[in-house]
Amino acid sequence: MSYFEFYTKNISQPIETKSTAIAKDVNSAPKNKPRSKISNGFKSEASKDTEIIKGTCLSMCPEDEVKMREKAKMVHVLEVIDGKKVLVKCYSRSAADSMVAVPRLLRPYRVLQDTVRHLLLKIAQKEDTNIAVIYDFVSDRFRAVRQDMTVQRLLAKECMTLLEPMIRFHVYFGYKLCEYPIAAYDPVLNKKLLLECLKWFLSCSDSMDQFPKDLTTEMEQLKLNSNVANNKSQMENFFKCDHQLVESLYILCNLDDVHPMYRYLNLANNLKSHTALKLAYKIAAANWRGNFVQVCKQLDNLCPLTYCALCLYLPTVQRQALQVISTAYSSKQLSVPLSALRTWLRFDSDATAASVCAHYGLVANEGAVRFTKGNFKADVATHQPTRLLLADQKMDLSHKHMFTYQTEDYAYSA
């Protein structure tokens, strides 16, 4: 069971023993209680009679784990900074005999904020370490953060503030590592962790809709660097909760699923009218209509993170488009120039377009491709995503910018 599933099922329920569970009146729950659009329904504020565990560990790694890992020589290379050991709690799977719910091993919300900031600003942007090693380390420590969030049943607004930078991390590093072999990076696991964070965030957002306070006001009170003075240079280190960005990413990371589109149609008008979100819906609608050229055209109109998300789906779009073209332009005499194919489907070069065509059994000769309906290999795997180097140059994909920019910083032409 994922953290998100556990959280949504248990956030408003007390911790039960066997005897209390038997005595519970199953018919006492209201039958017509409204449910969240993402989750199975839960309250963002825990009930007064709920037994909540509060963490008391004020460091990024509990003292018990520090002693154990130092003794066993399990200190990660990224936990040694300038000759000093700065350990971060690692993820461990829950077990029947594990001490997951011990307060001294749990980090409270403020410490979790510091941990997330440390991982993104001091670890994730290191240039002297292999990026795949950095990804594995930060991803594991983020799982430990989410584990602490789940056990302590943090408030929905606190969860959103911690989850948003994790979402950015998985989208950004998913794109940076897309060309790596499976032995170094697992895109399926990264997608699983990303969707878990996305659904958890949106579930918390839905639960907050029932409260009169404005979400923006709540988020302003939960900046990750809350102890820093109102200094302009220091404000750049704040992680802001960009609801429009997360909603857009939820659509673009699930272009094969119609449910994000249904969710968009049920959003509040002030959120649904946001240009970035309208553009994401437009791309999803074009994809479902089979207008793959239109999907590729919108790539330049996206902000950096939504651009990364769509680039990871681009091989699927290109495959489906080539299959359609193989039928529509099937001819023994006529051919399609590689330059036109590159423009339509956003290949990085004519050589890349020819290579992808060859992967699906389509032969390119003298700068053109001759499409034949029977030659397309529908049984081969979709080609691996690649970074669009020419398009990357137009985007600010720097580490600092990817974790601090807001959707309002960009002009969209949806």
Side-chain angles (χ1 to χ4, degrees), residues 384-401:
Q384 186 176 3
T386 56
R387 296 184 62 177
L388 304 181
L389 299 180
L390 295 178
D392 286 0
Q393 296 174 2
K394 302 177 183 178
M395 292 279 182
D396 185 356
L397 299 182
S398 63
H399 181 93
K400 183 178 179 181
H401 181 69

Side-chain angles (χ1 to χ4, degrees), residues 207-357:
S207 73
M208 291 186 66
D209 290 342
Q210 60 188 305
F211 294 95
K213 292 184 178 180
D214 183 70
L215 179 61
T216 306
T217 304
E218 297 285 359
M219 290 302 109
E220 288 176 353
Q221 299 172 359
L222 291 168
K223 294 182 187 296
L224 286 181
N225 198 0
S226 58
N227 295 326
V228 180
N230 291 328
N231 184 291
K232 185 175 180 180
S233 61
Q234 292 173 322
M235 285 285 285
E236 294 178 354
N237 293 331
F238 285 163
F239 291 101
K240 301 176 182 178
C241 196
D242 194 334
H243 192 189
Q244 294 86 356
L245 174 64
V246 177
E247 292 281 1
S248 301
L249 288 173
Y250 183 59
I251 294 175
L252 295 177
C253 291
N254 293 279
L255 287 175
D256 286 330
D257 190 354
V258 72
H259 290 93
M261 299 176 67
Y262 288 147
R263 174 182 172 81
Y264 168 83
L265 295 174
N266 290 322
L267 290 175
N269 289 332
N270 61 333
L271 182 61
K272 188 164 56 176
S273 61
H274 193 279
T275 313
L277 197 47
K278 288 169 62 178
L279 179 59
Y281 178 79
K282 180 180 180 180
I283 292 172
N287 181 63
W288 276 94
R289 289 194 301 265
N291 191 349
F292 304 117
V293 174
Q294 180 64 25
V295 173
C296 296
K297 277 184 178 180
Q298 299 299 333
L299 203 61
D300 291 329
N301 297 329
L302 296 169
C303 65
L305 281 167
T306 50
Y307 162 84
C308 291
L310 185 56
C311 282
L312 294 177
Y313 187 76
L314 207 54
T316 302
V317 173
Q318 292 167 342
R319 176 197 176 104
Q320 293 173 339
L322 289 174
Q323 189 169 9
V324 171
I325 294 173
S326 296
T327 301
Y329 289 83
S330 181
S331 173
K332 294 182 179 180
Q333 284 81 29
L334 302 178
S335 60
V336 177
L338 281 173
S339 57
L341 207 60
R342 181 193 67 206
T343 303
W344 291 346
L345 302 180
R346 292 306 300 264
F347 290 110
D348 217 23
S349 63
D350 289 356
T352 303
S355 175
V356 172
C357 287

Side-chain angles (χ1 to χ4, degrees), residues 3 6 19 104 135 142 172 293 328 357 379 405:
Y3 310 116
F6 180 88
S19 58
R104 74 172 187 277
Y135 169 82
F142 275 163
Y172 179 47
V293 174
C357 287
D379 56 340
Y405 84 85

Side-chain angles (χ1 to χ4, degrees), residues 86-125:
V86 184
L87 273 66
V88 181
K89 183 179 179 180
C90 62
Y91 171 73
S92 59
R93 294 186 179 277
S94 302
D97 58 346
S98 63
M99 299 190 302
V100 176
V102 178
R104 74 172 187 277
L105 303 180
L106 297 173
R107 297 161 293 180
Y109 171 65
R110 296 299 177 188
V111 179
L112 293 176
Q113 286 182 319
D114 294 337
T115 303
V116 171
R117 184 170 60 250
H118 169 78
L119 290 171
L120 290 181
L121 297 183
K122 293 186 178 180
I123 303 299
Q125 60 181 342

